[in-house]
Amino acid sequence: MDEALLLWINQGWANHGLDIFFSVLSSRRGFALPLAAVLLLVFLWRWRKAGVQLWLVMMVVVGIGDYLGNNLKHIFAQHRPCYTLAAQVRQLHYPPGQPCGASLTGMPSNHALNGFVVAAFLAFVLRRGAWSAVLFTVAASVALSRVYLAKHYPSQIAAGALFGTLWGLFTAWLGLKYLPFMQRLRGQGAAENTQHDQD
């Protein structure tokens, strides 16, 4: 099932436009880092000092999550599909049939992990429905890009998304318990939601 779903997405969805779209989403330098910079600017504009503090905490949370994900890769030592199925999958930046990168670093997907860490962390702290919907959509799209590009099996994406969500929720709960500025931001979000419902 895992292999069949991967091949359906990787081959059945094959499209030049999707090749470009998912390649950009999958790039840390081309998408993840610019997105982090945009979030910093938005947080700074919206919440000033508290926004910068929130961004710094978020980046620490993501960094620790990424580190934990890399350790889990070595513990599980699962193959990537672009290594085990190199002769069958479409690869955009490798010659046909050539395995990609390291072979035993498939579980979990750190792209999915990091995306869902950010989405879950900010959704729990800020309590803003529109923010949450956008962030989880972006996280899911990034995760899907890894399957489309044959970098991870769907199960490896699901594991990364689950771990990332749990880590994001746990660290958000921890921050809300011990960091007053996060408590104030959450209170503002709740007040804005109440005002919006009344309007």
Side-chain angles (χ1 to χ4, degrees):
M1 179 65 181
D2 211 20
E3 182 177 312
L5 183 57
L6 174 123
L7 291 174
W8 175 62
I9 294 172
N10 173 256
Q11 298 177 349
W13 294 17
N15 177 277
H16 180 64
L18 288 179
D19 288 350
I20 296 172
F21 177 68
F22 283 129
S23 292
V24 171
L25 282 183
S26 190
S27 169
R28 289 181 187 263
R29 183 179 299 176
F31 182 74
L33 293 179
L35 177 60
V38 168
L39 287 176
L40 174 58
L41 293 174
V42 171
F43 289 3
L44 177 62
W45 168 75
R46 184 69 179 80
W47 299 297
R48 305 301 179 189
K49 179 182 177 181
V52 175
Q53 291 173 314
L54 178 65
W55 186 85
L56 289 172
V57 172
M58 179 190 75
M59 295 305 292
V60 170
V61 168
V62 170
I64 295 173
D66 196 64
Y67 173 78
L68 294 174
N70 282 326
N71 279 278
L72 288 174
K73 287 177 184 290
H74 296 299
I75 292 172
F76 289 112
Q78 283 193 8
H79 289 290
R80 292 173 181 264
C82 55
Y83 189 88
T84 56
L85 301 176
Q88 300 178 55
V89 297
R90 296 173 60 249
Q91 295 194 70
L92 302 184
H93 306 297
Y94 290 87
Q98 178 180 321
C100 67
S103 63
L104 296 175
T105 57
M107 175 67 85
S109 163
N110 271 26
H111 280 71
L113 191 158
N114 293 338
F116 279 88
V117 164
V118 171
F121 178 83
L122 293 179
F124 193 78
V125 172
L126 299 177
R127 297 188 66 181
R128 289 165 171 83
W131 272 84
S132 301
V134 170
L135 289 169
F136 275 106
T137 299
V138 170
S141 299
V142 170
L144 180 59
S145 77
R146 303 302 285 172
V147 178
Y148 182 86
L149 298 172
K151 301 298 183 183
H152 292 281
Y153 287 103
S155 61
Q156 297 168 346
I157 294 297
L162 177 61
F163 182 85
T165 299
L166 294 176
W167 178 246
L169 292 175
F170 171 72
T171 51
W173 171 82
L174 208 60
L176 287 167
K177 187 173 182 179
Y178 293 107
L179 298 174
F181 79 88
M182 286 179 59
Q183 297 168 8
R184 290 194 298 272
L185 286 174
R186 191 174 206 218
Q188 290 176 22
E192 289 176 9
N193 287 338
T194 301
Q195 182 64 39
H196 177 74
D197 291 340
Q198 291 175 349
D199 292 345

